[in-house]
Amino acid sequence: MDLQLTELDHPLARHGLAQLRNRATRPQVFRLVTRQLTTLLAIEATRDLRTAKVAIETPLEETQGELLDEDLVLVPILRAGLGMLDSVVQLFPSVTVGYLGLERDEETAQASIYYSKLPEVEGRTVLLVDPMLATGGSASHALADIFAYRPRRVSLLCIVAAPEGVRVINDRFPEVRIFTAALDRELDDRKYILPGLGDFGDRLYGTV
């Protein structure tokens, strides 16, 4: 089956990915590049946001402009998703933010929710951000939680994705648009993405 996702095609994205994959990259650079890639992902994911025409007075005359006319909700998956938070907020200062905490059992690779704090999402556009889409377990749990509140639409933004995880989301949530900076090769027997970039949260916060 064809994978339904958008993969960034930009020199800056490829440059950033090379830095993130490099095991020698320090946490401060890792965080900076994460923000840069998130900005590119958010711009791509919001390309078709609704706008409304408004009259504007320039210093010289009246003209027409367009302003965003869509309520956005941003939901990072804790903890690694917090590294993608600031970039989206800077692009969309009026965005409403919710949080979902999920943890993966290292033995079974199954995810479970330990914290959920969502704002009003009914009828709104939701951006779910999680740096790694591996098995799709965490994203599936998060999406089920979000869809229970009837959003208008949901997009999933991740830095790196595995084909296995993309297929799971495509199958369970075909209406969800997936945006990634890289579609990697596969998962290993421990369900880590290959070639990947290691544990994102550990590298983001220097807890390796």
Side-chain angles (χ1 to χ4, degrees), residues 140-159:
S140 290
H141 274 277
L143 289 167
D145 218 36
I146 291 168
F147 274 111
Y149 296 97
R150 300 189 296 277
R152 178 173 179 264
R153 58 178 172 171
V154 181
S155 294
L156 172 60
L157 282 60
C158 50
I159 303 295

Side-chain angles (χ1 to χ4, degrees), residues 110-184:
Q110 297 298 309
S112 59
I113 292 180
Y114 65 85
Y115 181 78
S116 177
K117 184 70 173 179
L118 293 177
E120 178 63 48
V121 302
E122 184 172 356
R124 293 179 168 183
T125 294
V126 178
L127 302 178
L128 177 65
V129 296
D130 190 15
M132 309 288 281
L133 177 59
T135 65
S138 295
S140 290
H141 274 277
L143 289 167
D145 218 36
I146 291 168
F147 274 111
Y149 296 97
R150 300 189 296 277
R152 178 173 179 264
R153 58 178 172 171
V154 181
S155 294
L156 172 60
L157 282 60
C158 50
I159 303 295
V160 175
E164 295 90 334
V166 175
R167 291 191 187 96
V168 166
I169 302 304
N170 285 175
D171 181 55
R172 297 180 185 174
F173 303 94
E175 68 272 50
V176 170
R177 304 182 305 166
I178 303 173
F179 296 86
T180 187
L183 179 63
D184 274 7

Side-chain angles (χ1 to χ4, degrees), residues 1-207:
M1 146 176 127
D2 291 335
L3 300 180
Q4 301 300 313
L5 85 162
T6 298
E7 186 175 0
L8 288 181
D9 182 17
H10 193 287
L12 185 57
R14 293 190 286 274
H15 176 82
L17 278 166
Q19 291 178 289
L20 293 187
R21 292 193 196 281
N22 189 342
R23 66 187 302 168
T25 297
R26 304 296 299 165
Q28 59 267 35
V29 176
F30 197 93
R31 289 190 286 266
L32 173 62
V33 175
T34 294
R35 291 194 295 270
Q36 292 172 340
L37 285 176
T38 302
T39 297
L40 293 175
L41 286 167
I43 289 172
E44 186 64 32
T46 56
R47 182 181 294 275
D48 59 353
L49 283 182
R50 186 175 61 241
T51 60
K53 296 190 180 206
V54 296
I56 296 173
E57 284 285 349
T58 79
L60 299 176
E61 64 179 17
E62 183 177 291
T63 187
Q64 274 206 331
E66 294 184 42
L67 295 177
L68 292 177
D69 188 34
E70 198 161 337
D71 289 331
L72 283 178
V73 175
L74 172 64
V75 181
I77 294 180
L78 305 178
R79 69 178 167 149
L82 291 176
M84 303 174 72
L85 175 69
D86 288 346
S87 298
V88 182
V89 173
Q90 287 181 356
L91 283 175
F92 304 99
S94 62
V95 68
T96 304
V97 181
Y99 298 91
L100 287 173
L102 291 107
E103 56 186 355
R104 186 175 84 159
D105 187 298
E106 295 301 326
E107 296 295 325
T108 66
Q110 297 298 309
S112 59
I113 292 180
Y114 65 85
Y115 181 78
S116 177
K117 184 70 173 179
L118 293 177
E120 178 63 48
V121 302
E122 184 172 356
R124 293 179 168 183
T125 294
V126 178
L127 302 178
L128 177 65
V129 296
D130 190 15
M132 309 288 281
L133 177 59
T135 65
S138 295
S140 290
H141 274 277
L143 289 167
D145 218 36
I146 291 168
F147 274 111
Y149 296 97
R150 300 189 296 277
R152 178 173 179 264
R153 58 178 172 171
V154 181
S155 294
L156 172 60
L157 282 60
C158 50
I159 303 295
V160 175
E164 295 90 334
V166 175
R167 291 191 187 96
V168 166
I169 302 304
N170 285 175
D171 181 55
R172 297 180 185 174
F173 303 94
E175 68 272 50
V176 170
R177 304 182 305 166
I178 303 173
F179 296 86
T180 187
L183 179 63
D184 274 7
R185 188 176 72 249
E186 62 185 353
L187 298 177
D188 67 9
D189 55 4
R190 297 185 302 156
K191 307 303 181 185
Y192 280 89
I193 300 174
L194 297 175
L197 40 81
D199 186 292
F200 201 96
D202 283 345
R203 299 197 62 198
L204 187 70
Y205 297 114
T207 54

